[in-house]
Amino acid sequence: MTDPAPVPTGEPTPAPEPAPDTDRSPLRRLGRRVGRPKRSDVVSGMVTGLFSIPEGMAYASIAGFNPVAGLYAGVVPAIVGSLTARTVLMITTLTSAIALTSQSVLAGVGLDPTDPANVATLTIMVGLAMLLLGVLRLGAVMSFVSNAVMVGFSTGIALQIITGVLEDATGYDPQGHNRLVQLGDWVVHVGSWDLPSTLVAAATVAVWVLARSVRRLVPVALLVAMVVVSVVVVVAGVEVEQVADIAAIPAALPGLSLPDLSVAPSLVGGAFAVALVGLAQAASIAPSMPNPDGSRSDANADFRSQGWANVAGGLFQALPSGGSMSRTGVAAEAGARTRWAGVVSGVFLALVVVLLGGVAELIPMPVIGGLILVVGGELVWGKRREILLVLRTSPLSSAAMILTFLATTQLPLQQAIVLGAVLSLLLYCVQAARQSRLLLLRRGADGRWSTSTEIPTALRSGEVTVLDFSGTSFFAALPRIENDLPRGDDARGAVLVLVLRTLPDIPSSAVMDLLHRTAARLREQGNRLVLVGVSPAMRALLERTGTVAALGQDAIVDATPEVLGGLESAVADAERWAAAHS
């Protein structure tokens, strides 16, 4: 016999629960997350891989590294980073800021930036630093770096990029103890520029401008300028410096590069500095390039992803890498839809190096100089609105931006980073302290409460004064808060009601001391302090510090889900107490 058909009950049939994922294979889990590549991803990856040739070589060159290491930074780090990142379109590779910071770190401890062992050691240590920050879930730290500081730092980096290629672009090496002086020296000595080099660099910029005028060529304008001008220079036999004069590009995949552990202790601080530069740059990619599949990015997972990319890249001759906004923008504009675009870019770049490495050696250095002048100029031009915004926001933010810019152009970058971080924290503390204030709460005839900034200077006998303590509990703001509290020395039976609904659950010890002293002083004067909107954690803290004993249990009104909940009953009790004690 067969089972009878189920009788309809009118209730919806519950959907079956999904089977638990019992597959613990890392490769299969990775396969499900990566999915299948789309045609647009392949095209985008090829464009991005080609774009990595001039940009990677140029960034490595301006920082004094072997240009080949800049190429290799677009192979293994790009593949590993794209496979593991939570920001799907992010391309992990060498950036100008990372290159310059890495050079500054190695130079600061007296290490040769062209030694592969030194580069491998720094790159792996940068990766370990990123992994540590990701494991400790310190992604939120990036939100404490102020926009004003980042604008100053980015603009300073752009100036470093420009001054770093002036010799390649014009044949004249500017002199000076900092980048601003070097820029001025370069302008003054225009008569010393090498004419062929200058013309080649100018032609590169001109071809880039023409390519940008064709919409379909916008994503590959730098590549078009590099190829066209390089071919003309080689065919015409113009005598300028070429990549081959700096380094030979082996027609082979990056080989194994082992670190020199003896220099690792001297690079610990510098590795964290480079890591912070890379992570700060990558943190701006997720908001600008949301995942096409609708999934959410995770800063901590991206930290770990870039860490793995650097550890793997360091073993295969790559420079330190991080999320690249320029390379990610190229990939997105060329049609990237999944993380396969970054994987394809690394694979395709490796094929180009193997098959066409000898051709890349023919690229004239003035061409690379012209391309980097374009990149640096675009960085400065792209920051113009942010610079104006900071200047119009506040004098303090403007000062922080200018100081960071000057530090980036005159100090080693790792020191400029530390200075920028300190300035960011100072800005945060100052702004947070300014937000702390007292507001007078008044109840109108209709029973509604309104706020006023006119705080009374003194309490009145037999009356209840209600103040809202809003903002943070930073100790820097408390002297001003205490000074604004109304005096009670000439009053009797007065009640001061403090609403604490916006204070942290666990305020600073300075706030607890202020509340305790205020309660004790008012009690000695024959008056009273009542606290409204007290969270459970704050109540426990008030009890441990003895403030509850000073106030009395009935002077602590717990917080409720309603805004200003408990205030009416607290004011009614306070009025009865004032009437009895005035």
Side-chain angles (χ1 to χ4, degrees), residues 327-338:
R327 226 74 58 93
T328 303
V330 168
E333 184 129 358
R337 299 298 299 166
T338 72

Side-chain angles (χ1 to χ4, degrees), residues 2-202:
T2 59
D3 292 333
V7 178
T9 61
E11 297 292 334
T13 304
E17 295 185 1
D21 185 6
T22 58
D23 185 3
R24 298 182 181 273
S25 170
L27 291 178
R28 291 192 178 185
R29 289 201 302 269
L30 179 62
R32 285 195 299 272
R33 182 169 63 177
V34 171
R36 295 182 178 181
K38 302 179 183 297
R39 181 180 177 182
S40 60
D41 293 321
V42 176
V43 175
S44 172
M46 295 172 66
V47 172
T48 307
L50 288 174
F51 183 80
S52 295
I53 295 175
E55 192 167 80
M57 293 177 65
Y59 287 160
S61 178
I62 63 174
F65 292 103
N66 188 334
V68 178
L71 279 180
Y72 288 159
V75 181
V76 173
I79 295 172
V80 175
S82 293
L83 287 174
T84 56
R86 288 289 293 275
T87 301
V88 172
L89 300 183
M90 184 172 69
I91 306 295
T92 303
T93 185
L94 178 66
T95 69
S96 58
I98 292 177
L100 290 169
T101 309
S102 299
Q103 187 275 338
S104 182
V105 167
L106 291 175
V109 294
L111 295 178
D112 182 5
T114 61
D115 186 339
N118 292 338
V119 173
T121 305
L122 177 60
T123 304
I124 292 173
M125 291 185 66
V126 169
L128 294 176
M130 289 177 168
L131 280 172
L132 178 62
L133 293 173
V135 169
L136 296 178
R137 305 190 65 81
L138 295 178
V141 171
M142 291 298 105
S143 62
F144 285 91
V145 180
S146 75
N147 180 63
V149 167
M150 282 305 299
V151 170
F153 183 74
S154 301
T155 309
I157 287 292
L159 180 63
Q160 291 229 31
I161 292 172
I162 292 172
T163 56
V165 295
L166 292 178
E167 182 180 7
D168 290 331
T170 63
Y172 175 74
D173 183 16
Q175 304 299 309
H177 64 280
N178 64 60
R179 300 295 182 176
L180 291 172
V181 175
Q182 290 172 11
L183 184 61
D185 179 74
W186 176 76
V187 173
V188 170
H189 291 86
V190 63
S192 300
W193 296 1
D194 179 65
L195 184 59
S197 298
T198 304
L199 291 177
V200 170

